[in-house]
Tab-separated table of all heavy atoms in Angstrom:
chain	number	residue	atom	x	y	z
A	1	ASP	N	-36.444	60.923	64.199
A	1	ASP	CA	-35.860	60.633	65.500
A	1	ASP	C	-36.487	61.525	66.552
A	1	ASP	O	-37.137	62.484	66.297
A	1	ASP	CB	-34.348	60.847	65.437
A	1	ASP	CG	-33.624	59.722	66.141
A	1	ASP	OD1	-34.267	59.062	66.978
A	1	ASP	OD2	-32.452	59.446	65.821
A	2	LEU	N	-36.175	61.133	67.784
A	2	LEU	CA	-36.571	61.901	69.011
A	2	LEU	C	-38.010	61.628	69.444
A	2	LEU	O	-38.958	61.833	68.684
A	2	LEU	CB	-36.402	63.377	68.857
A	2	LEU	CG	-34.975	63.895	69.025
A	2	LEU	CD1	-34.952	65.365	68.775
A	2	LEU	CD2	-34.478	63.632	70.398
A	3	SER	N	-38.177	61.172	70.657
A	3	SER	CA	-39.550	61.024	71.228
A	3	SER	C	-39.827	62.361	71.931
A	3	SER	O	-39.795	62.483	73.146
A	3	SER	CB	-39.557	59.880	72.237
A	3	SER	OG	-38.547	60.052	73.212
A	4	ILE	N	-40.162	63.353	71.123
A	4	ILE	CA	-40.442	64.688	71.656
A	4	ILE	C	-41.897	64.974	71.502
A	4	ILE	O	-42.481	64.757	70.442
A	4	ILE	CB	-39.601	65.719	70.844
A	4	ILE	CG1	-38.114	65.406	71.027
A	4	ILE	CG2	-39.942	67.150	71.274
A	4	ILE	CD1	-37.252	66.308	70.172
A	5	PRO	N	-42.555	65.444	72.572
A	5	PRO	CA	-43.995	65.719	72.448
A	5	PRO	C	-44.238	66.814	71.431
A	5	PRO	O	-43.532	67.793	71.357
A	5	PRO	CB	-44.390	66.203	73.870
A	5	PRO	CG	-43.099	66.447	74.563
A	5	PRO	CD	-42.025	65.711	73.911
A	6	VAL	N	-45.265	66.649	70.602
A	6	VAL	CA	-45.629	67.600	69.606
A	6	VAL	C	-46.886	68.321	70.102
A	6	VAL	O	-47.867	67.740	70.472
A	6	VAL	CB	-45.910	66.860	68.280
A	6	VAL	CG1	-46.308	67.904	67.209
A	6	VAL	CG2	-44.693	66.113	67.822
A	7	HIS	N	-46.833	69.639	69.997
A	7	HIS	CA	-47.895	70.464	70.620
A	7	HIS	C	-49.085	70.606	69.698
A	7	HIS	O	-50.150	70.945	70.127
A	7	HIS	CB	-47.344	71.841	71.002
A	7	HIS	CG	-46.233	71.754	72.013
A	7	HIS	ND1	-46.481	71.646	73.365
A	7	HIS	CD2	-44.877	71.684	71.850
A	7	HIS	CE1	-45.293	71.613	74.003
A	7	HIS	NE2	-44.338	71.628	73.127
A	8	ASP	N	-48.897	70.484	68.398
A	8	ASP	CA	-49.945	70.694	67.439
A	8	ASP	C	-50.056	69.445	66.527
A	8	ASP	O	-49.767	69.524	65.345
A	8	ASP	CB	-49.804	71.959	66.610
A	8	ASP	CG	-50.999	72.309	65.770
A	8	ASP	OD1	-52.068	71.643	65.980
A	8	ASP	OD2	-50.867	73.155	64.903
A	9	LYS	N	-50.399	68.284	67.111
A	9	LYS	CA	-50.361	67.066	66.369
A	9	LYS	C	-51.429	67.030	65.269
A	9	LYS	O	-51.245	66.299	64.262
A	9	LYS	CB	-50.600	65.858	67.277
A	9	LYS	CG	-49.379	65.688	68.281
A	9	LYS	CD	-49.573	64.434	69.096
A	9	LYS	CE	-48.384	64.200	70.001
A	9	LYS	NZ	-48.490	62.995	70.784
A	10	ASP	N	-52.503	67.797	65.411
A	10	ASP	CA	-53.497	67.805	64.375
A	10	ASP	C	-52.990	68.388	63.053
A	10	ASP	O	-53.452	68.065	61.958
A	10	ASP	CB	-54.729	68.633	64.783
A	10	ASP	CG	-55.458	67.928	65.960
A	10	ASP	OD1	-55.278	66.705	66.103
A	10	ASP	OD2	-56.171	68.633	66.739
A	11	SER	N	-52.006	69.278	63.163
A	11	SER	CA	-51.448	69.913	61.965
A	11	SER	C	-50.349	69.134	61.325
A	11	SER	O	-49.826	69.473	60.325
A	11	SER	CB	-50.943	71.336	62.272
A	11	SER	OG	-49.864	71.280	63.147
A	12	LEU	N	-49.896	68.037	62.009
A	12	LEU	CA	-48.758	67.240	61.506
A	12	LEU	C	-49.302	66.033	60.808
A	12	LEU	O	-50.147	65.318	61.321
A	12	LEU	CB	-47.840	66.859	62.642
A	12	LEU	CG	-47.321	68.038	63.466
A	12	LEU	CD1	-46.419	67.526	64.570
A	12	LEU	CD2	-46.620	69.049	62.600
A	13	SER	N	-48.724	65.723	59.675
A	13	SER	CA	-49.215	64.543	58.914
A	13	SER	C	-48.064	64.055	58.051
A	13	SER	O	-47.260	64.782	57.515
A	13	SER	CB	-50.382	64.936	58.020
A	13	SER	OG	-50.689	63.910	57.144
A	14	CYS	N	-47.969	62.680	57.922
A	14	CYS	CA	-47.013	62.095	57.044
A	14	CYS	C	-47.403	62.170	55.567
A	14	CYS	O	-46.612	62.084	54.711
A	14	CYS	CB	-46.747	60.651	57.415
A	14	CYS	SG	-45.787	60.502	58.976
A	15	GLY	N	-48.704	62.313	55.301
A	15	GLY	CA	-49.146	62.348	53.964
A	15	GLY	C	-49.108	63.741	53.378
A	15	GLY	O	-49.177	64.720	54.046
A	16	LEU	N	-48.971	63.806	52.052
A	16	LEU	CA	-48.968	65.008	51.334
A	16	LEU	C	-50.087	64.982	50.333
A	16	LEU	O	-50.513	63.923	49.860
A	16	LEU	CB	-47.622	65.252	50.595
A	16	LEU	CG	-46.427	65.475	51.537
A	16	LEU	CD1	-45.173	65.492	50.655
A	16	LEU	CD2	-46.555	66.706	52.350
A	17	SER	N	-50.643	66.165	49.998
A	17	SER	CA	-51.731	66.199	49.025
A	17	SER	C	-51.253	65.676	47.681
A	17	SER	O	-52.025	65.069	46.942
A	17	SER	CB	-52.242	67.608	48.910
A	17	SER	OG	-51.179	68.481	48.513
A	18	SER	N	-50.057	65.958	47.334
A	18	SER	CA	-49.500	65.421	46.047
A	18	SER	C	-48.019	65.100	46.239
A	18	SER	O	-47.151	65.879	45.897
A	18	SER	CB	-49.665	66.499	44.933
A	18	SER	OG	-49.028	67.674	45.360
A	19	PRO	N	-47.732	63.987	46.956
A	19	PRO	CA	-46.338	63.661	47.291
A	19	PRO	C	-45.464	63.422	46.063
A	19	PRO	O	-45.927	62.860	45.091
A	19	PRO	CB	-46.466	62.406	48.136
A	19	PRO	CG	-47.738	61.787	47.705
A	19	PRO	CD	-48.655	62.923	47.372
A	20	LEU	N	-44.281	63.899	46.145
A	20	LEU	CA	-43.262	63.694	45.091
A	20	LEU	C	-42.077	62.963	45.671
A	20	LEU	O	-41.695	63.206	46.856
A	20	LEU	CB	-42.854	65.054	44.521
A	20	LEU	CG	-43.964	65.829	43.782
A	20	LEU	CD1	-43.474	67.205	43.448
A	20	LEU	CD2	-44.338	65.081	42.496
A	21	PRO	N	-41.428	62.124	44.910
A	21	PRO	CA	-40.311	61.324	45.421
A	21	PRO	C	-39.109	62.251	45.747
A	21	PRO	O	-38.722	63.054	44.949
A	21	PRO	CB	-39.981	60.343	44.282
A	21	PRO	CG	-40.487	61.044	43.069
A	21	PRO	CD	-41.714	61.815	43.498
A	22	ARG	N	-38.552	62.024	46.954
A	22	ARG	CA	-37.370	62.746	47.375
A	22	ARG	C	-36.698	61.958	48.530
A	22	ARG	O	-37.246	60.972	48.976
A	22	ARG	CB	-37.685	64.165	47.844
A	22	ARG	CG	-38.759	64.219	48.870
A	22	ARG	CD	-39.345	65.635	48.966
A	22	ARG	NE	-40.320	65.805	50.033
A	22	ARG	CZ	-41.572	65.440	49.942
A	22	ARG	NH1	-42.014	64.948	48.810
A	22	ARG	NH2	-42.444	65.630	50.933
A	23	LEU	N	-35.600	62.464	49.002
A	23	LEU	CA	-34.875	61.803	50.077
A	23	LEU	C	-34.841	62.728	51.254
A	23	LEU	O	-34.524	63.902	51.185
A	23	LEU	CB	-33.399	61.537	49.614
A	23	LEU	CG	-32.612	60.621	50.527
A	23	LEU	CD1	-33.084	59.185	50.385
A	23	LEU	CD2	-31.121	60.718	50.187
A	24	ARG	N	-35.272	62.143	52.415
A	24	ARG	CA	-35.274	62.915	53.645
A	24	ARG	C	-34.032	62.560	54.485
A	24	ARG	O	-33.669	61.397	54.604
A	24	ARG	CB	-36.534	62.590	54.476
A	24	ARG	CG	-36.575	63.237	55.851
A	24	ARG	CD	-37.961	63.443	56.346
A	24	ARG	NE	-38.662	64.417	55.520
A	24	ARG	CZ	-39.874	64.856	55.830
A	24	ARG	NH1	-40.561	64.369	56.839
A	24	ARG	NH2	-40.442	65.771	55.025
A	25	VAL	N	-33.417	63.586	55.013
A	25	VAL	CA	-32.218	63.464	55.850
A	25	VAL	C	-32.535	64.048	57.216
A	25	VAL	O	-33.053	65.182	57.318
A	25	VAL	CB	-30.995	64.178	55.225
A	25	VAL	CG1	-29.797	64.020	56.084
A	25	VAL	CG2	-30.759	63.687	53.826
A	26	GLU	N	-32.189	63.267	58.301
A	26	GLU	CA	-32.420	63.710	59.665
A	26	GLU	C	-31.138	63.661	60.466
A	26	GLU	O	-30.347	62.734	60.328
A	26	GLU	CB	-33.472	62.805	60.338
A	26	GLU	CG	-34.827	62.722	59.596
A	26	GLU	CD	-35.692	61.638	60.183
A	26	GLU	OE1	-35.273	60.974	61.156
A	26	GLU	OE2	-36.770	61.391	59.624
A	27	ILE	N	-30.939	64.680	61.257
A	27	ILE	CA	-29.813	64.716	62.229
A	27	ILE	C	-30.399	64.963	63.607
A	27	ILE	O	-30.932	66.049	63.860
A	27	ILE	CB	-28.805	65.818	61.862
A	27	ILE	CG1	-28.171	65.576	60.499
A	27	ILE	CG2	-27.714	65.895	62.947
A	27	ILE	CD1	-28.895	66.235	59.349
A	28	ALA	N	-30.360	63.957	64.455
A	28	ALA	CA	-31.013	64.006	65.759
A	28	ALA	C	-29.987	63.822	66.881
A	28	ALA	O	-29.055	63.022	66.746
A	28	ALA	CB	-32.114	62.960	65.880
A	29	ASP	N	-30.136	64.579	67.955
A	29	ASP	CA	-29.233	64.420	69.115
A	29	ASP	C	-30.061	64.400	70.377
A	29	ASP	O	-31.258	64.795	70.425
A	29	ASP	CB	-28.203	65.570	69.136
A	29	ASP	CG	-28.860	66.917	69.387
A	29	ASP	OD1	-29.430	67.166	70.473
A	29	ASP	OD2	-28.853	67.749	68.420
A	30	THR	N	-29.474	63.937	71.458
A	30	THR	CA	-30.110	63.925	72.756
A	30	THR	C	-29.501	65.020	73.661
A	30	THR	O	-29.240	64.784	74.868
A	30	THR	CB	-29.943	62.506	73.396
A	30	THR	OG1	-28.543	62.224	73.486
A	30	THR	CG2	-30.650	61.472	72.562
A	31	GLY	N	-29.228	66.147	73.075
A	31	GLY	CA	-28.533	67.255	73.815
A	31	GLY	C	-29.510	68.028	74.683
A	31	GLY	O	-30.605	67.557	75.053
A	32	ALA	N	-29.125	69.231	74.999
A	32	ALA	CA	-29.850	70.045	75.956
A	32	ALA	C	-31.150	70.570	75.401
A	32	ALA	O	-32.050	70.931	76.182
A	32	ALA	CB	-28.990	71.258	76.408
A	33	GLY	N	-31.324	70.586	74.057
A	33	GLY	CA	-32.568	71.078	73.500
A	33	GLY	C	-32.534	72.605	73.364
A	33	GLY	O	-31.680	73.275	73.880
A	34	ILE	N	-33.557	73.099	72.664
A	34	ILE	CA	-33.693	74.535	72.402
A	34	ILE	C	-35.052	75.016	72.803
A	34	ILE	O	-36.082	74.330	72.511
A	34	ILE	CB	-33.475	74.840	70.928
A	34	ILE	CG1	-32.152	74.249	70.447
A	34	ILE	CG2	-33.522	76.347	70.610
A	34	ILE	CD1	-31.939	74.370	68.932
A	35	SER	N	-35.138	76.077	73.528
A	35	SER	CA	-36.441	76.610	74.038
A	35	SER	C	-37.263	77.156	72.901
A	35	SER	O	-36.716	77.461	71.760
A	35	SER	CB	-36.201	77.714	75.060
A	35	SER	OG	-35.606	78.831	74.454
A	36	ARG	N	-38.547	77.310	73.086
A	36	ARG	CA	-39.455	77.782	72.048
A	36	ARG	C	-39.039	79.237	71.645
A	36	ARG	O	-39.152	79.614	70.460
A	36	ARG	CB	-40.906	77.785	72.545
A	36	ARG	CG	-41.478	76.363	72.536
A	36	ARG	CD	-42.977	76.410	72.812
A	36	ARG	NE	-43.546	75.073	72.691
A	36	ARG	CZ	-43.989	74.550	71.532
A	36	ARG	NH1	-43.884	75.273	70.436
A	36	ARG	NH2	-44.500	73.353	71.487
A	37	GLU	N	-38.636	80.032	72.587
A	37	GLU	CA	-38.245	81.392	72.259
A	37	GLU	C	-36.986	81.400	71.337
A	37	GLU	O	-36.914	82.192	70.423
A	37	GLU	CB	-37.924	82.216	73.543
A	37	GLU	CG	-39.161	82.424	74.434
A	37	GLU	CD	-39.517	81.181	75.248
A	37	GLU	OE1	-38.742	80.237	75.208
A	37	GLU	OE2	-40.639	81.189	75.847
A	38	ASP	N	-36.073	80.554	71.618
A	38	ASP	CA	-34.821	80.487	70.814
A	38	ASP	C	-35.099	79.835	69.458
A	38	ASP	O	-34.412	80.141	68.496
A	38	ASP	CB	-33.744	79.680	71.542
A	38	ASP	CG	-33.204	80.461	72.769
A	38	ASP	OD1	-33.225	81.704	72.695
A	38	ASP	OD2	-32.829	79.850	73.757
A	39	GLN	N	-36.094	78.952	69.366
A	39	GLN	CA	-36.362	78.301	68.060
A	39	GLN	C	-36.779	79.297	67.040
A	39	GLN	O	-36.540	79.145	65.818
A	39	GLN	CB	-37.458	77.254	68.252
A	39	GLN	CG	-36.983	76.035	69.034
A	39	GLN	CD	-38.122	74.990	69.189
A	39	GLN	OE1	-38.973	74.898	68.327
A	39	GLN	NE2	-38.073	74.232	70.260
A	40	ALA	N	-37.480	80.365	67.431
A	40	ALA	CA	-37.927	81.409	66.437
A	40	ALA	C	-36.776	82.117	65.817
A	40	ALA	O	-36.903	82.683	64.741
A	40	ALA	CB	-38.906	82.354	67.108
A	41	ARG	N	-35.611	82.179	66.523
A	41	ARG	CA	-34.496	82.959	66.005
A	41	ARG	C	-33.238	82.134	65.766
A	41	ARG	O	-32.159	82.683	65.534
A	41	ARG	CB	-34.130	84.080	67.056
A	41	ARG	CG	-35.283	84.997	67.384
A	41	ARG	CD	-34.836	86.072	68.353
A	41	ARG	NE	-33.674	86.782	67.846
A	41	ARG	CZ	-32.891	87.573	68.577
A	41	ARG	NH1	-33.164	87.753	69.899
A	41	ARG	NH2	-31.867	88.233	68.074
A	42	ILE	N	-33.384	80.826	65.809
A	42	ILE	CA	-32.221	79.941	65.760
A	42	ILE	C	-31.448	80.043	64.469
A	42	ILE	O	-30.240	79.810	64.379
A	42	ILE	CB	-32.622	78.474	66.025
A	42	ILE	CG1	-31.418	77.616	66.279
A	42	ILE	CG2	-33.409	77.931	64.807
A	42	ILE	CD1	-30.699	77.969	67.571
A	43	PHE	N	-32.177	80.460	63.324
A	43	PHE	CA	-31.539	80.556	62.043
A	43	PHE	C	-31.059	81.977	61.725
A	43	PHE	O	-30.604	82.249	60.619
A	43	PHE	CB	-32.467	80.055	60.936
A	43	PHE	CG	-32.700	78.576	61.006
A	43	PHE	CD1	-33.915	78.085	61.512
A	43	PHE	CD2	-31.763	77.668	60.564
A	43	PHE	CE1	-34.177	76.734	61.598
A	43	PHE	CE2	-32.008	76.297	60.632
A	43	PHE	CZ	-33.220	75.833	61.190
A	44	ASP	N	-31.165	82.899	62.670
A	44	ASP	CA	-30.741	84.278	62.440
A	44	ASP	C	-29.219	84.356	62.493
A	44	ASP	O	-28.569	83.566	63.175
A	44	ASP	CB	-31.372	85.252	63.453
A	44	ASP	CG	-32.885	85.379	63.320
A	44	ASP	OD1	-33.379	84.945	62.227
A	44	ASP	OD2	-33.498	85.935	64.184
């Protein structure tokens, strides 16, 4: 989800060198967002 600009698109890829089956879960909101400075510490 989210049409958010990606700053390093060359490093992002849907493919994996050796993909394994799993289930991906996403939780997306259209809230205020988080700044880059706060993203580095958001899980502290």
Side-chain angles (χ1 to χ4, degrees):
D1 225 336
L2 280 178
S3 56
I4 298 174
V6 180
H7 298 276
D8 188 13
K9 293 186 177 181
D10 294 336
S11 66
L12 305 181
S13 171
C14 286
L16 294 173
S17 58
S18 57
L20 294 171
R22 54 196 184 278
L23 191 73
R24 173 155 293 184
V25 181
E26 303 169 4
I27 298 92
D29 65 67
T30 57
I34 306 172
S35 66
R36 286 187 174 274
E37 295 76 10
D38 292 327
Q39 290 180 29
R41 303 181 56 193
I42 193 66
F43 293 103
D44 293 348

